[in-house]
Amino acid sequence: MLLESRDLSVGYRGKPLFEALRMDVDFGEVLVVTGRNGSGKSSLLRCLAGQQRPLAGAVTLEGEPADDRQPRFRRSVAALLDGGAWYPNLTAAEHLSFVQLVNAPMPDGWFTAADLAAALALDGFANTVPGQLSSGQRQRLAVAMALARPSRLLLLDEPERHLDEPGRDGVGRLVTEYADRGGAVVLVTHDASLAAGPGRRTLALDRDAGAGPAGTSEQRTRPRGGAR
Amino acid sequence: MSVVRAAPADPAASDGWNGRANPAGPARRWLRQRRREHRGQVGNLYFLSLSVLVGIAVAAGTLPRLLSGPGRVADPTAAPPLLAVGLLGYALALTCAARFGPITATPATLAWWLAGPVDRRALLLPGAAMVLSVAAVVGALHGAFVVTVIGAAEQTAAALMVGAGIAGGVLTGALAVVVQTLTDTSAAVLERVAVLLGAVAAVLTMVRTSVPAVPAWVGPWGWPQAAGDGQDGAWLLWAVAMALVLAAVAGWRLDRLPLRRLAAGSTLGAIVGVGLVTVDPGIASRAAEERRWATRPLKGGGLPRITGPRAVVGHDLVVARRSPEHLLVAGATLLLPTLLGVLTGWGIALAAGWLLSGLAAVAPSTVNARRDRDLPALRRLLNLPGPALVGARSVLPTVLAVAWGAGAGALLMARTPGAESWAWPVLGAAAGPGLAAGALRAARRGAVRHELPPIVTPMGVLPTGPLHWTATGYDIAILFTTPTLAALITGAPAAMILPQVIISVAGVVTFVLLAGRVDRSR
């Protein structure tokens, strides 16, 4: 099992947004996380990325605790949280190159910049700096950057933000292809078409339901009131 | 789309999923090269070189005079207030360190670089070096201040005092970094230490006692004084060694810093960066205020059930109740005029310190006035006549300023006894409305006016918009508190009370009417 959470409780200042979450995500799976605003979807992703300490419980990646201080963990997990951030003096193409340089070496057969540019229609603004891009173009670039770096677990927080229909379709296809190549995806989304891709399981954070079809693991959440 | 430069292959890491971190060097060099290609370096180099030259010239002109100043007769009663100044300075520095981390990174570096499998220690080392450099400069300034107050018999003694200040600054900066690497609650730890230092400073401000020599064990805030007391200097070597060891430990532990401990400072850094890039501190302060409220629990009850303009006052009161830390800041600013009065005597330094402290104490109570001014939609929702709204928003700042003025005057009276010392609290209270008007004008100054004509200087074009923005608020604060400032320069407060009362009342009424009329026309 690639990603596991056991009795996970996530919240702020001691107040849980949800408690006792148990979930497993294996290689090649896409887990779609849904829920009302403030139910803790983004906080869950930050916990899975090792960037937020849970109130209780544990997250493990291949049996090791999620800890972003470990290079092995950082080499395995790619995350797009909070809509991305930019170097104002690099073009879109240079951002992609920079991410691949930081995450070298690239495994054989990984997404190339050309693959991503074609899937997300980046060609039109490859030599433009982020400050001159529309919010939708910046979101396409952010998704491309998250996929440009080699990883085994991809965490995406509402990647459909600001995207038109072709953009959402492109993201959907890339997520499917990532999983087909053996990677695991945890996808937070409010977009029905993204959530309804082939073979996807669903974890609803705002009801007592588990994560999709019965698997080998038990999924259970106890949501709490209060929004953030 | 084309990839600008292919990623270099690393044979040692060819399995792709190993646990080793990539070196930071290649990506750093690549990034530096791309940035160089995108922006002209000539202008930056010119400005940097000129700034360094001017800095060297200023230092060359003042340092010898500072370091060779004749040693004065040591005043044992000045030691506690001087130590209090050091404590307040360190409290302020630790508060800033708590806000920024002290180690932080830009949001882009956090998202795309530090999150990658790159050597985290190597990536964060420049940030740590920056923190330690700033700490060293702060320590040096502290040492230089002590030299200017107590003097030094010879240049070596003065250099030792400045050196002790630098060692103290580096030690404290390194300690702050180490704390950040140890716990998620480092900001709370640093803030509590700052509050403790402020409390000790308050006690020392009011103590009238003779201290012949400040021992080194009191802490880095007392090291320049300890070095100036001419004791055995062996401890200074130990202090320097301790600072260096802690700096090394801080650097060694950088790879133990998780991203979550860098994120808060990163957001604040980005906000400050926006303020610097747009040369508009107003944008940065509004964003910082929103972030502050978004990351804290609300305490202090709800809105009082009152109507009309009084509800606006109730809103200000609720915000004040929910920001107890602002009362701490106001309390700390009360000490500065007294400390300056004891250490430097009557003069411009004391008057300037009083004005700056007063405005700093009152400014937090004007945040709602700033929002009313910046967001006309909010003002329209309130649907109050301009003068009524501005008048209501000026109630709390005026009350606070009167209380602050009286408090600062009472402290000054207690520590600088004289025939007219009874008049300081009365004069301070009388100046309160004038201070409040200045703080309100500063809060309502809006965006920087970039359309104002620039001034051409040998160092380059100097935009006057930011200067105008900075001066707005201080202008009428100086105007409306002129009698008090004059009294602080001459040391004769009694005759200034009546003129101050008249100017304060006339000033605040005029300000409310004029500002309200401006709001009505917008």
Side-chain angles (χ1 to χ4, degrees), chain A:
Chain A
M1 193 58 64
L2 180 65
L3 178 71
E4 291 178 90
S5 83
R6 290 289 173 266
D7 301 323
L8 192 66
S9 171
V10 174
Y12 296 88
R13 294 179 282 275
K15 293 181 183 168
L17 295 166
F18 58 80
E19 291 180 285
L21 172 68
R22 302 184 67 189
M23 61 171 224
D24 304 328
V25 186
D26 210 347
F27 293 101
E29 286 188 330
V30 178
L31 177 65
V32 177
V33 182
T34 63
R36 58 181 164 74
N37 295 141
S39 58
K41 303 182 296 296
S42 300
S43 302
L44 170 64
L45 277 200
R46 278 195 288 273
C47 271
L48 300 182
Q51 295 184 19
Q52 180 173 329
R53 181 168 280 182
L55 298 179
V59 176
T60 57
L61 190 77
E62 290 188 295
E64 297 290 325
D67 182 354
D68 75 276
R69 291 175 294 188
Q70 301 302 327
R72 185 180 179 82
F73 179 84
R74 300 203 295 273
R75 207 176 275 285
S76 297
V77 180
L80 176 59
L81 313 171
D82 304 326
W86 317 105
Y87 292 102
N89 40 26
L90 293 185
T91 65
E94 286 169 342
H95 271 88
L96 272 187
S97 294
F98 180 64
V99 163
Q100 295 198 322
L101 185 60
V102 166
N103 291 275
M106 307 301 291
D108 293 338
W110 193 257
F111 293 102
T112 65
D115 293 338
L116 297 167
L120 292 166
L122 305 183
D123 286 320
F125 53 88
N127 295 315
T128 309
V129 292
Q132 295 171 357
L133 299 178
S134 73
S135 49
Q137 288 171 322
R138 280 201 293 265
Q139 182 66 7
R140 284 169 190 254
L141 176 60
V143 173
M145 287 170 73
L147 281 157
R149 53 166 295 188
S151 62
R152 290 185 287 182
L153 173 63
L154 180 64
L155 307 172
L156 295 174
D157 189 0
E158 297 184 30
E160 75 275 11
R161 260 183 279 202
H162 308 298
L163 293 184
D164 53 17
E165 196 174 343
R168 290 197 296 271
D169 290 345
V171 171
R173 279 195 298 275
L174 283 171
V175 166
T176 303
E177 191 177 339
Y178 183 93
D180 289 345
R181 292 176 180 213
V185 184
V186 180
L187 170 66
V188 167
T189 184
H190 291 289
D191 185 273
S193 61
L194 264 182
R200 292 181 188 179
R201 294 190 297 141
T202 302
L203 169 65
L205 278 185
D206 52 1
R207 60 171 197 264
D208 275 332
T216 54
S217 62
E218 175 191 1
Q219 288 91 20
R220 175 170 63 86
T221 59
R222 248 189 293 143
R224 282 295 179 97
R228 184 183 181 276

Side-chain angles (χ1 to χ4, degrees), chain B residues 171 196 204 212 248 274 341 398 460 494 502:
Chain B
L171 180 99
L196 191 64
L204 287 175
V274 166
T398 304
I502 294 170

